[in-house]
Amino acid sequence: MTYAFEPVGVIRSPYREKFGIPRQPSLANAARVTLELLPPYNQPDCVRGLAAFSHVWISFIFHQTMGRGWQPLVRPPRLGGNAKVGVFASRSTHRPNPLGLSLVELAAVECDHGVRLRLAGADLLDGTPVVDIKPYIPFAEARPEASGGFVSGPPPQLRVEWSANALQQLAGLDAPPDFALLVEQVLAQDPRPAYQDDPGRIYGVSLYCYNVRFGIREEIATVLEILE
Ligand code: SAH
């Protein structure tokens, strides 16, 4: 049996490529993410009552990686990239069915000219197809006593510094508000692949229409340059 789904909406986000996207939602709440509902769901009736909820579950398709198949065992970044766990014990994007699930803050519901949900802190690529939206119900779903397996707390954060050059470029940009904060939140997550520690290397992360170049040395990420 197969089941075909159509997207109910599409994500607009500052994350234009996978590299640099936080590995879970809420790690970078300065990201301005919008979920645009598609016809015939882009009518106010479909979201009536939703604005009263502070958080929503977003079910989406890992559309950019879905061609890559899956393996029974995966290496989660949180385990350093060496130890393996079962695919169903992980949040890996490479799954039998390429479905993602993110709990995100619902900042606003806008119903003028279609329907848009403003989300804060989503870990979603620009263009991600969304297959469902559900309100988060704290009494049933918040479980402070739950054990988190190999993910026992938030990941360690890097310190982020700006070079004089990058600061000067930042001052001249017509960037969205919170752009500098977003850069800091994204780099603090340490976007490098788990096994990589090359202090001489320069990385680039795409945020909005900018390419942010940075290096990492001794747990400090330094913003070197911002290219348009
Ligand atoms: N919270 C989700 C996602 C966890 S994996 C879940 O638990 O199901 C998070 C990673 O998904 C991010 O680091 C990003 O690189 C990746 N991602 C986000 N949107 C994607 C998309 N449309 N296609 C492929 N990968 C995506």
Side-chain angles (χ1 to χ4, degrees):
M1 202 74 132
T2 59
Y3 302 88
F5 293 135
E6 276 179 13
V8 299
V10 61
I11 292 290
R12 296 287 161 228
S13 105
Y15 303 119
R16 304 291 155 88
E17 58 184 32
K18 264 182 65 98
F19 182 69
I21 304 185
R23 297 189 175 107
Q24 283 301 329
S26 83
L27 293 173
N29 61 9
R32 295 178 171 238
V33 178
T34 306
L35 166 45
E36 287 179 16
L37 296 197
L38 295 169
Y41 317 103
N42 61 344
Q43 42 175 311
D45 276 354
C46 290
V47 292
R48 193 187 294 176
L50 187 63
F53 293 87
S54 63
H55 292 73
V56 288
W57 290 107
I58 306 289
S59 295
F60 62 95
I61 299 181
F62 289 120
H63 75 303
Q64 203 177 77
T65 47
M66 58 184 284
R68 299 198 203 151
W70 66 280
Q71 299 284 332
L73 290 171
V74 301
R75 301 170 197 262
R78 280 305 285 278
L79 290 175
N82 289 321
K84 295 180 180 175
V85 302
V87 64
F88 298 130
S90 85
R91 292 300 189 99
S92 168
T93 52
H94 302 97
R95 328 184 61 81
N97 293 305
L99 283 177
L101 185 65
S102 292
L103 178 63
V104 298
E105 185 185 336
L106 178 61
V109 178
E110 296 173 354
C111 290
D112 55 310
H113 304 101
V115 177
R116 283 171 311 280
L117 309 187
R118 300 243 173 243
L119 310 173
D123 52 351
L124 304 170
L125 200 59
D126 190 41
T128 296
V130 169
V131 288
D132 204 5
I133 302 158
K134 290 177 183 171
Y136 171 69
I137 299 174
F139 100 84
E141 299 186 307
R143 294 298 173 95
E145 79 285 10
S147 48
F150 63 86
V151 195
S152 51
Q157 300 237 320
L158 301 179
R159 204 165 95 208
V160 180
E161 294 179 348
W162 295 74
S163 68
N165 179 37
L167 271 184
Q168 198 178 9
Q169 289 171 327
L170 179 68
L173 294 183
D174 187 23
D178 289 355
F179 176 68
L181 183 60
L182 178 62
V183 169
E184 291 180 2
Q185 291 177 343
V186 164
L187 299 194
Q189 301 310 312
D190 193 350
R192 292 173 300 180
Y195 46 85
Q196 223 174 75
D197 185 13
D198 179 355
R201 185 156 174 173
I202 295 177
Y203 300 88
V205 63
S206 295
L207 296 172
Y208 299 102
C209 57
Y210 305 105
N211 192 290
V212 179
R213 318 272 294 159
F214 64 98
I216 298 179
R217 184 187 293 265
E218 290 168 8
E219 309 304 300
I220 300 176
T222 306
V223 188
L224 300 171
E225 204 179 9
I226 304 172
L227 307 176
E228 297 204 41

